[in-house]
Amino acid sequence: MTIKYAGPKAIISHTGICFDTNKEDKYVYLDIAAQLLEALDHDYIEDKTYTHTLEKHLSNDEIMTILQRRCPDFDKLINATDHEVEELLDEDLQRAHTNRLLNNEEKEVLEKNISIMHDYMVQRSINKSMYYCVVGLLADMAAKDHINKITLPMQQNYIHVLHSLQGTLIKEKKPIDTDMSIAEKDKKLYVTLKVVNIVK
């Protein structure tokens, strides 16, 4: 398997398949997270501000190269059979087969719909695992290197990555508090994640 865009969360039923566009595939954020990881990985001088411009877009191959080099469980994360979604899909098939509220034709349709979406669901799971691997590495880097502020353009995908990083930092063994703010500079909006309580 590899990383590639799958799509928003699928809602599967005996009447068809629809998609929840509010729950996007983590693949769309993986590019930014991987670039941010590369940008932050260098030696730091205390109290110095570093500036880096993210590339517009990394190719799949470039992202994969970063992931292979960075994620310690890369082989496991990219292996479809190692994902819980496989077990969940098997359970869904079993429930569909034994569902007493559906007639035989509806059961068959539901089972086919689940089977049709198998690869789609596995791909989303792989993308999600890879994304959170990178976010975890970003959190480790922020704590280890005492990175106290990250500022990115005020765009939805950037905000999502910073929110994920914020959530991961607060879940550390020693929770790290953060603050998110928005500011305008040169008529452009920027979002800043401040790391509040890293002890140096």
Side-chain angles (χ1 to χ4, degrees):
M1 295 291 288
T2 185
I3 56 157
K4 62 181 179 181
Y5 180 72
K9 182 179 180 179
I11 301 167
I12 306 167
S13 73
H14 67 281
T15 60
I17 302 164
C18 60
F19 299 91
D20 183 350
T21 55
N22 291 320
K23 296 193 176 177
E24 185 55 276
D25 185 354
K26 294 299 183 191
Y27 175 87
V28 301
Y29 312 114
L30 195 47
D31 177 16
I32 295 163
Q35 287 191 60
L36 191 55
L37 183 65
E38 293 287 276
L40 294 176
D41 187 22
H42 57 81
D43 293 329
Y44 287 91
I45 299 171
E46 191 171 349
D47 297 327
K48 179 176 171 58
T49 299
Y50 295 86
T51 303
H52 179 86
T53 302
L54 299 181
E55 298 296 328
K56 287 186 178 179
H57 180 69
L58 294 178
S59 69
N60 265 10
D61 289 343
E62 289 171 320
I63 297 171
M64 282 290 286
T65 299
I66 293 170
L67 296 175
Q68 284 176 309
R69 194 172 71 248
R70 299 288 190 164
C71 290
D73 294 330
F74 176 84
D75 290 335
K76 184 175 180 181
L77 296 177
I78 209 76
N79 185 351
T81 59
D82 287 327
H83 287 257
E84 289 180 8
V85 72
E86 290 280 4
E87 292 178 22
L88 295 174
L89 288 169
D90 287 342
E91 290 171 10
D92 286 346
L93 281 170
Q94 184 61 32
R95 274 196 299 274
H97 187 69
T98 58
N99 191 318
R100 295 183 179 183
L101 299 176
L102 303 178
N103 62 39
N104 287 339
E105 185 180 343
E106 290 170 332
K107 287 181 187 179
E108 187 178 335
V109 170
L110 178 54
E111 289 171 18
K112 282 183 180 177
N113 286 346
I114 293 168
S115 296
I116 286 168
M117 296 306 292
H118 173 274
D119 290 351
Y120 183 96
M121 303 295 282
V122 170
Q123 187 64 61
R124 276 181 53 91
S125 179
I126 288 170
N127 295 345
K128 182 178 179 179
S129 295
M130 286 296 181
Y131 174 71
Y132 281 110
C133 173
V134 174
V135 171
L137 292 170
L138 284 170
D140 292 344
M141 194 177 289
K144 178 177 70 74
D145 294 326
H146 307 299
I147 296 170
N148 61 12
K149 183 171 69 172
I150 299 171
T151 300
L152 295 172
M154 178 71 176
Q155 296 175 17
Q156 191 272 333
N157 287 3
Y158 291 120
I159 294 170
H160 184 95
V161 172
L162 290 183
H163 269 298
S164 297
L165 178 55
Q166 186 177 41
T168 301
L169 286 168
I170 202 68
K171 291 175 186 172
E172 295 282 303
K173 287 181 182 177
K174 293 182 179 179
I176 298 172
D177 195 17
T178 58
D179 179 63
M180 191 93 73
S181 61
I182 297 168
E184 184 178 355
K185 182 180 179 183
D186 300 328
K187 296 185 179 179
K188 293 181 181 178
L189 289 175
Y190 293 89
V191 57
T192 296
L193 179 69
K194 290 183 181 177
V195 182
V196 177
N197 68 346
I198 287 182
V199 179
K200 295 188 178 184

